[in-house]
Amino acid sequence: QVQLVQSGAEVKKPGASVKVSCKASGYGFTRFHMHWVRQAPGQGLEWMGIINTSGGYTNYARKFQGRVTLTRDTSTSTSYMELSNLRSEDTAVYYCARSFRQYGMDVWGQGTTVTVSS
Amino acid sequence: SYELTQPPSVSVSPGQTARITCSGDALPKQYAYWYQQKPGQAPVLVTYKDSERPSGIPERFSGSSSGTTVTLTISGVQAEDEAVYYCQSGDSTGTFFGGGTRLTVL
């Protein structure tokens, strides 16, 4: 079945970087772009960016430009989100989600909790 | 910047109809999408392109659009529909979510 499986929880210190992976299965990986969305504790959804899994092109939310990098490995059908210069406000659950019908997201990963604490 | 405004909460009794609105100046030009999120779970897409329903989503979920407002309607609300609902839209610069509406089934 179609699924996205993300890497496990991370605990990082302020100023460090984190890299979260998202492995796709059950469909043609390069046929669909991949979004990344985060959700701070008790808060709403926040879009971070999107990667064209075929060509590798990216589009980042203005808030994260300069700190986030989306990449992909087509040989393993895996997308990656790296966030640098972490601060406590980056503590959140990070999701990957398959792009669907222009801006929609029809398949989501299970989420990866990233905790930033000194 | 792109803003989508939702009411913080909506309450209905089982079997009634719930309507959740989402307002934004760009909505007449861009499609809207709705997601349901239950505690501890990832969001689930319940409608797309204003009024289309993905396979597997019950028929009681429907979406509509009028001017700067889009509406998610849940007919015959069931206890299992209690969740937070998010609208989403986008343009060439990216995509954006509303703040979310908590649906309480009384």
Side-chain angles (χ1 to χ4, degrees):
Chain A
Q1 72 282 22
V2 175
Q3 63 177 349
L4 301 174
V5 178
Q6 298 183 222
S7 49
E10 303 264 13
V11 179
K12 296 292 182 180
K13 293 193 181 302
S17 297
V18 68
K19 191 170 186 177
V20 178
S21 68
C22 169
K23 184 172 176 58
S25 61
Y27 72 96
F29 176 68
T30 56
R31 292 183 57 211
F32 297 84
H33 299 350
M34 193 73 76
H35 293 275
W36 286 84
V37 175
R38 77 176 187 181
Q39 186 170 38
Q43 302 301 308
L45 303 172
E46 183 172 35
W47 181 75
M48 300 180 70
I50 186 171
I51 183 166
N52 177 319
T53 52
S54 178
Y57 311 113
T58 56
N59 183 23
Y60 300 131
R62 187 172 301 178
K63 174 178 178 176
F64 298 102
Q65 284 180 359
R67 279 211 306 146
V68 68
T69 304
L70 302 183
T71 56
R72 92 282 188 235
D73 182 342
T74 57
S75 68
T76 60
S77 300
T78 303
S79 295
Y80 299 91
M81 185 284 299
E82 184 169 20
L83 188 63
S84 63
N85 192 20
L86 290 168
R87 31 215 191 225
S88 58
E89 309 90 88
D90 295 317
T91 294
V93 176
Y94 290 77
Y95 293 101
C96 58
R98 190 177 77 166
S99 186
F100 177 76
R101 297 289 194 269
Q102 198 173 30
Y103 301 118
M105 305 173 197
D106 67 334
V107 181
W108 292 66
Q110 82 276 20
T112 296
T113 299
V114 175
T115 303
V116 183
S117 174
S118 55
Chain B
S1 64
Y2 205 113
E3 283 196 24
L4 298 173
T5 301
Q6 300 181 234
S9 63
V10 168
S11 299
V12 295
S13 298
Q16 290 190 328
T17 296
R19 294 181 179 84
I20 301 172
T21 59
C22 172
S23 299
D25 289 342
L27 289 176
K29 300 184 290 293
Q30 302 293 343
Y31 285 123
Y33 305 75
W34 286 96
Y35 300 86
Q36 174 195 70
Q37 188 179 33
K38 296 181 178 180
Q41 298 183 20
V44 173
L45 180 69
V46 293
T47 69
Y48 65 94
K49 286 193 168 182
D50 290 347
S51 58
E52 301 294 321
R53 193 172 50 248
S55 60
I57 299 300
E59 290 185 9
R60 64 180 181 274
F61 289 89
S62 63
S64 61
S65 176
S66 178
T68 59
T69 299
V70 294
T71 302
L72 174 68
T73 300
I74 310 172
S75 304
V77 167
Q78 301 181 6
E80 67 198 50
D81 300 331
E82 186 163 284
V84 179
Y85 292 84
Y86 294 93
C87 63
Q88 177 218 359
S89 190
D91 61 18
S92 59
T93 67
T95 187
F96 306 86
F97 291 95
T101 299
R102 182 174 302 278
L103 175 67
T104 300
V105 181
L106 301 170

